[in-house]
Amino acid sequence: MRKNRRSFVPFAMAVLFLVTFMGWAAPKAAGNIKLGLDLKGGFEILYQVEPLDAHQKVTKELLLATERMVEKRINISKVAEPEITIEGTDRIRARIAGVADQTKLRELIGQPAYLTFKDGQDRIVLDGGDLAPNGASIGHDQLNRP
């Protein structure tokens, strides 16, 4: 009978140690888990891509560029793992989880990009309409510096 008690004490201490360790480590490990749209909640947006110029058509390149732009704008808000997919020939679906202000993010994503060049007094010197398509190039001086 005494032999059984002696083997029970180390077992009980090991179980007590494991339970204590799990009680300490579990909340820290669970805090690092990023919950998705199904567990944390969020929203979904379906965009239909239309070219700015009426003479343009929606091409695969335009669709991919728009997808990258939407992804960059979503990533600015530091949400956990947004899901962005192209659907069909002219739609992009964005599923976003864990957003504090949906309205602000929707506005950020939906705004068209507009390029401006400003001087030191914050006055607009040039804008995107002043630039010709494929008009920029790299020049080099006599020492082959750009």
Side-chain angles (χ1 to χ4, degrees):
M1 186 84 159
R2 267 205 178 300
K3 193 172 190 180
N4 287 341
R5 278 190 191 170
R6 286 186 188 156
S7 62
F8 178 73
V9 171
F11 174 74
M13 290 189 64
V15 169
L16 183 63
F17 172 75
L18 285 174
V19 168
T20 305
F21 178 74
M22 287 174 35
W24 173 78
K28 292 182 180 193
N32 293 333
I33 295 174
K34 294 186 179 184
L35 302 177
L37 187 65
D38 55 346
L39 297 175
K40 193 170 189 177
F43 66 102
E44 181 176 285
I45 308 171
L46 181 63
Y47 290 104
Q48 184 168 2
V49 178
E50 297 175 358
L52 291 175
D53 186 8
H55 304 296
Q56 272 186 324
K57 292 187 178 184
V58 177
T59 62
K60 186 71 172 175
E61 291 81 24
L62 178 63
L63 203 57
L64 289 170
T66 306
E67 178 193 29
R68 284 191 304 271
M69 182 272 311
V70 168
E71 183 175 12
K72 284 180 182 179
R73 289 183 178 191
I74 290 172
N75 287 336
I76 288 171
S77 64
K78 296 183 171 114
V79 296
E81 300 177 17
E83 184 180 318
I84 303 156
T85 55
I86 295 175
E87 295 183 355
T89 58
D90 65 346
R91 291 186 309 255
I92 296 174
R93 182 176 305 273
R95 294 182 178 147
I96 307 163
V99 176
D101 189 0
Q102 290 184 17
T103 306
K104 186 177 177 182
L105 186 59
R106 285 177 191 262
E107 288 174 4
L108 176 66
I109 296 169
Q111 289 178 348
Y114 193 71
L115 176 67
T116 59
F117 294 92
K118 296 182 179 183
D119 63 8
Q121 285 76 35
D122 207 32
R123 292 179 297 204
I124 296 176
V125 178
L126 293 172
D127 65 16
D130 296 328
L131 304 175
N134 300 321
S137 63
I138 297 176
H140 294 84
D141 63 8
Q142 293 81 11
L143 299 174
N144 203 22
R145 294 181 298 200

